[in-house]
């Protein structure tokens, strides 16, 4: 088992005392979630990495975990890797998706201890915006690279070597079709894997309001270049969570505070996603012989 965490000290100039006294992000509703490439500053992740060279761990971070698989026998048949969880716009970009990525993968977002002891854990990959208002570097929204333009070589390789991907994103209630007086806590279920979508609707629908991505093209997650669909089967799942739903998952709305303040709704949501994944992985049509 290997863990790679590239989050470093945000900036030496801030100093430890300053870091502890400055909120790491503004409120969740401060930046409008964006589901398209309109307004993107960078053409791809590679473009962002080049133009912000030397800023990983300061302005942005990438975190991922690949669990060790061994195949040292010629005659035995070993299963393909099953499921990877992704958050392409974590940290301060689409807030709460980083923590949820870890939770669905089976880890407590604050300590990386088991969130569901005795149950399976999944590989994960995330990109996170780390900009602080005090840095005067612009908003985390400017670090958004739309999913179909994600070309991070590790993210793509992890998707390509998985049978299934569940990708997590944030949207506004309005983008998800919520109108005045309706419950703004909603999740849009998308992706090209119709069987996975059905299972996600069933499991999440027991506790949360779900709507279908087919009714919201910008949130549907159906582009073949979207990492959620760049799997061994050429299809996967995507969830777009409204701001209000993500807010309900945490008691403290700061980049450093969310991980340690998850609510029961957070665990319920993560658990429902995991049940859908377990059911999907048991299907005979979700394997490659």
């Amino acid at each position: 088992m290997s863990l790679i965490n590239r989050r470093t000290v945000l900036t030496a100039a801030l100093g430890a005392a300053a870091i502890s006294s400055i909120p790491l992000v503004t409120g969740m509703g401060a930046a409008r979630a964006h589901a398209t490439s309109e307004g993107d500053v960078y053409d791809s992740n590679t473009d962002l990495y080049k133009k912000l060279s030397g800023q990983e761990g300061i302005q942005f971070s990438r975190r991922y975990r690949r669990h060790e698989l061994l195949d040292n026998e010629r005659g035995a048949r070993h299963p393909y890797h099953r499921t990877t969880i992704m958050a392409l716009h974590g940290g301060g970009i689409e807030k709460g998706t980083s923590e949820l990525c870890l939770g669905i993968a089976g880890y407590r977002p604050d300590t990386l201890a088991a969130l569901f002891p005795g149950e399976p854990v999944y590989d994960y990959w995330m990109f996170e915006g780390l900009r602080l208002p005090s840095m005067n570097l612009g908003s985390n929204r400017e670090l958004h690279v739309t999913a179909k333009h994600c070309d991070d070589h590790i993210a793509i390789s992890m998707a390509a070597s998985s049978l299934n991907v569940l990708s997590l994103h944030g949207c506004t209630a309005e983008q998800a079709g919520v109108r005045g007086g309706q419950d703004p806590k909603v999740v849009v279920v998308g992706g090209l894997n119709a069987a996975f979508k059905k299972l996600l609707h069933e499991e999440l629908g027991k506790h949360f309001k779900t709507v279908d991505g087919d009714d919201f093209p910008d949130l549907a997650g159906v582009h073949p270049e979207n990492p959620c669909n760049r799997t061994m089967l050429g299809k996967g799942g995507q969830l777009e969570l409204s701001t209000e739903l993500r807010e309900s998952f945490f008691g403290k709305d700061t980049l450093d505070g969310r991980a340690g303040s998850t609510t029961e709704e957070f665990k319920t949501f993560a658990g429902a996603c995991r049940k859908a994944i377990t059911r999907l992985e048991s299907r005979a049509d979700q394997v490659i012989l």
Side-chain angles (χ1 to χ4, degrees):
M1 183 180 295
S2 61
L3 171 65
I4 298 183
N5 183 339
R6 298 188 178 183
R7 184 191 300 273
T8 58
V9 179
L10 295 179
T11 176
L14 288 175
I19 292 176
S20 64
S21 63
I22 298 176
L24 288 182
V25 294
T26 56
M28 266 197 194
R32 178 178 175 83
H34 220 292
T36 70
S37 60
E38 181 184 354
D40 279 4
V41 175
Y42 304 100
D43 295 333
S44 65
N45 285 68
T46 297
D47 183 45
L48 184 150
Y49 300 155
K50 288 180 178 178
K51 291 177 178 175
L52 295 182
S53 177
Q55 295 300 299
E56 186 166 3
I58 299 173
Q59 295 196 46
F60 69 92
S61 71
R62 292 173 287 172
R63 289 194 282 167
Y64 61 90
R65 192 169 201 159
R66 279 176 152 166
H67 298 86
E68 187 175 38
L69 293 175
L70 295 177
D71 183 358
N72 293 323
E73 302 176 36
R74 290 179 175 173
R77 176 184 178 276
H78 293 271
Y80 289 96
H81 179 73
R82 293 286 188 171
T83 302
T84 294
I85 316 300
M86 292 188 164
L88 276 61
H89 309 131
I93 305 172
E94 293 170 358
K95 302 164 190 177
T97 56
S98 298
E99 294 78 13
L100 192 59
C101 177
L102 291 170
I104 297 173
Y107 295 96
R108 287 178 52 111
D110 54 348
T111 65
L112 296 183
L115 181 61
F116 300 92
E119 295 187 14
V121 290
Y122 303 106
D123 288 5
Y124 60 80
W125 182 93
M126 67 184 78
F127 175 90
E128 299 177 288
L130 301 180
R131 287 178 173 177
L132 310 179
S134 60
M135 290 177 169
N136 295 318
L137 294 172
S139 70
N140 281 295
R141 166 65 188 89
E142 294 173 355
L143 301 175
H144 179 282
V145 174
T146 196
K148 66 183 180 182
H149 294 160
C150 176
D151 64 349
D152 182 279
H153 69 285
I154 295 176
I156 299 307
S157 69
M158 290 179 71
S161 59
S162 300
L163 288 171
N164 188 49
V165 163
L166 179 61
S167 186
L168 307 166
H169 295 264
C171 66
T172 66
E174 181 183 10
Q175 288 172 319
V178 174
R179 299 296 178 259
Q182 295 178 324
D183 184 359
K185 295 193 292 184
V186 61
V187 55
V188 182
V189 181
L192 286 177
N193 192 326
F196 194 21
K197 284 179 61 178
K198 181 175 184 294
L199 295 172
L200 287 165
H201 274 297
E202 290 176 359
E203 295 298 339
L204 286 169
K206 296 175 183 178
H207 312 280
F208 304 93
K209 178 183 177 183
T210 68
V211 295
D212 200 277
D214 291 346
D215 297 326
F216 304 94
D218 287 343
L219 308 178
V222 295
H223 197 285
E225 294 300 307
N226 186 321
C228 79
N229 297 318
R230 298 184 69 173
T231 66
M232 296 177 72
L233 296 173
K235 55 187 178 181
Q238 176 175 290
L239 299 178
E240 293 265 3
L241 290 79
S242 69
T243 303
E244 291 80 5
L245 180 58
R246 285 176 284 132
E247 284 179 332
S248 73
F249 293 159
F250 309 100
K252 187 176 181 182
D253 181 21
T254 60
L255 184 58
D256 62 341
R258 283 193 295 271
S261 66
T262 56
T263 65
E264 280 302 311
E265 281 197 293
F266 173 92
K267 191 170 183 179
T268 297
F269 192 98
C273 291
R274 289 170 60 84
K275 288 179 181 177
I277 291 169
T278 298
R279 292 176 62 190
L280 181 73
E281 291 182 347
S282 69
R283 292 173 59 104
D285 63 347
Q286 301 297 310
V287 298
I288 296 178
L289 299 179

